[in-house]
Amino acid sequence: MKYVKYLGKFPSLEGRYYIVTGANSGLGFDTSLYLAYKGANVILACRNLSKAEAAKEKILKEVPNAKLFIEQYDQASFQSIEEFVHRVSFTYPKIDGLLCNAGVYFPKQDYKTSDGYELTFGTNYLGTYKLLFSLKEKLNQDFSRVVIVTSLTATLSSKKIDIDECHKLSRNKIYGYSKYCLNRLCAELISKDNHITFNLVHPGIASTNIISSTQTGLPHWFQVLGHKFLTLFTHSSSKASLILLDGLLNNQHSQYIVPRGLFGISGYPKIKKIPKFSNRPIIEKTNILINSK
């Protein structure tokens, strides 16, 4: 396994419990592998159970004594999120950390969540929001750490449009906007909550399967070329995942963790103070949007 030397900087995680959403591939998979290697109990929160089982078997080949638990979790369905939170709250003794990693990029035209929201925004932002606030009591009780995965595209997103107008954006722009909303949410939660530690991370540009998912609306030729480009010119998922792991395990809090390389595209983790993304509150706006349907 790569980066064993880097992993040595962290203590044993024996007895600790971590939830990783979207754990069956990409950044979620590699972060789960690292947590398992350090001895943690890892809850693999995945939409596709067969892919989750395959990911579990792959981790076990690397870490034979890994403690892995699969839970079905569809971030595009509020009902699935509520059922997941119910199971987790009564099945596991505590939650030491939550990695909010699951998301979609450029889905097929007019795809929506189970609750009728545009799929990218509904999954990436509203689904994460729903999970955080549904699980909040458990997280508070355990003095947990939450890591929210954002993106470089969030910095390029429109700052003038508000969440009740996001349907006006193109599919290409709404991904960045969904991540921008996560930035705003994280900053607001940091200012409001004294029990839960929040860190925001962006992994740079990593070679993952985000543009070759079966859900994507991108042409097949673009998926093939895009994947080859990511493989050749960006850092690997296994390296990018060190940034997510650092967000979960470092001793600092209320931080923004990014790649240390040029323009934050790639590299090992670098810790920065979390910037103020917006002075406009977003929690109240989100509650109004969710309750409007």
Side-chain angles (χ1 to χ4, degrees):
M1 183 172 63
K2 292 183 178 180
Y3 307 113
V4 169
K5 185 176 180 180
Y6 187 90
L7 298 179
K9 67 184 280 188
F10 300 113
S12 169
L13 301 178
E14 290 286 341
R16 296 189 182 185
Y17 287 78
Y18 292 87
I19 297 172
V20 179
T21 67
N24 61 276
S25 65
L27 301 174
F29 172 82
D30 285 308
T31 308
S32 298
L33 172 63
Y34 296 151
L35 290 170
Y37 175 77
K38 298 301 295 185
N41 298 276
V42 187
I43 301 164
L44 310 175
C46 303
R47 181 178 59 86
N48 189 309
L49 292 182
S50 62
K51 290 183 179 180
E53 288 288 353
K56 178 179 178 179
E57 291 303 314
K58 191 174 178 181
I59 292 174
L60 286 170
K61 287 181 180 179
E62 294 267 3
V63 186
N65 297 322
K67 296 178 281 292
L68 306 170
F69 308 91
I70 293 174
E71 294 287 350
Q72 188 159 35
Y73 173 80
D74 183 357
Q75 200 164 283
S77 166
F78 289 166
Q79 181 178 343
S80 176
I81 294 169
E82 290 171 356
E83 291 171 352
F84 170 80
V85 168
H86 179 79
R87 290 195 306 274
V88 165
S89 298
F90 288 95
T91 303
Y92 304 97
K94 61 176 180 173
I95 299 299
D96 294 282
L98 166 64
L99 177 60
C100 298
N101 164 74
V104 297
Y105 172 72
F106 207 88
K108 295 176 182 178
Q109 188 74 43
D110 299 325
Y111 269 38
K112 296 185 182 297
T113 68
S114 299
D115 304 280
Y117 298 99
E118 189 281 329
L119 187 62
T120 302
F121 184 74
T123 302
N124 296 357
Y125 175 65
L126 295 180
T128 300
Y129 180 95
K130 179 69 173 177
L131 174 63
L132 286 175
F133 282 84
S134 298
L135 198 57
K136 200 166 187 287
E137 183 177 342
K138 179 72 172 173
L139 296 172
N140 259 318
Q141 175 186 327
D142 296 329
F143 292 88
S144 307
R145 171 168 292 204
V146 172
V147 172
I148 296 176
V149 181
T150 184
S151 166
L152 269 173
T153 60
T155 62
L156 304 175
S157 179
S158 172
K159 309 299 188 292
K160 296 180 181 179
I161 197 165
D162 218 331
I163 60 173
D164 54 355
E165 299 178 317
C166 68
H167 62 277
K168 298 177 181 179
L169 298 172
S170 68
R171 282 184 294 166
N172 192 46
K173 291 181 179 180
I174 204 165
Y175 176 80
Y177 184 74
S178 69
K179 294 296 186 176
Y180 166 66
C181 287
L182 286 175
N183 292 356
R184 286 175 57 187
L185 177 64
C186 188
E188 189 170 344
L189 287 170
I190 286 171
S191 69
K192 289 177 177 293
D193 204 302
N194 296 320
H195 292 90
I196 304 172
T197 294
F198 290 92
N199 279 338
L200 185 69
V201 307
H202 89 64
I205 303 176
S207 177
T208 69
N209 67 344
I210 191 168
I211 63 171
S212 56
S213 165
T214 55
Q215 279 192 315
T216 185
L218 296 167
H220 179 69
W221 64 266
F222 186 91
Q223 295 180 37
V224 173
L225 290 178
H227 185 70
K228 287 183 178 179
F229 175 84
L230 291 176
T231 302
L232 288 173
F233 297 106
T234 65
H235 61 175
S236 65
S237 171
S238 55
K239 188 171 185 179
S241 296
L242 297 176
I243 296 165
L244 280 60
L245 186 73
D246 203 83
L248 283 170
L249 303 182
N250 71 51
N251 293 323
Q252 301 188 53
H253 58 86
S254 303
Q255 301 296 320
Y256 186 37
I257 305 168
V258 304
R260 67 176 62 168
L262 186 65
F263 304 123
I265 292 174
S266 63
Y268 285 96
K270 174 183 177 181
I271 299 176
K272 301 171 65 176
K273 184 176 181 180
I274 193 165
K276 289 184 178 179
F277 294 102
S278 173
N279 291 323
R280 293 181 298 163
I282 196 169
I283 291 176
E284 184 178 353
K285 287 272 188 180
T286 307
N287 286 334
I288 293 172
L289 178 63
I290 289 177
N291 293 327
S292 67
K293 290 197 176 185

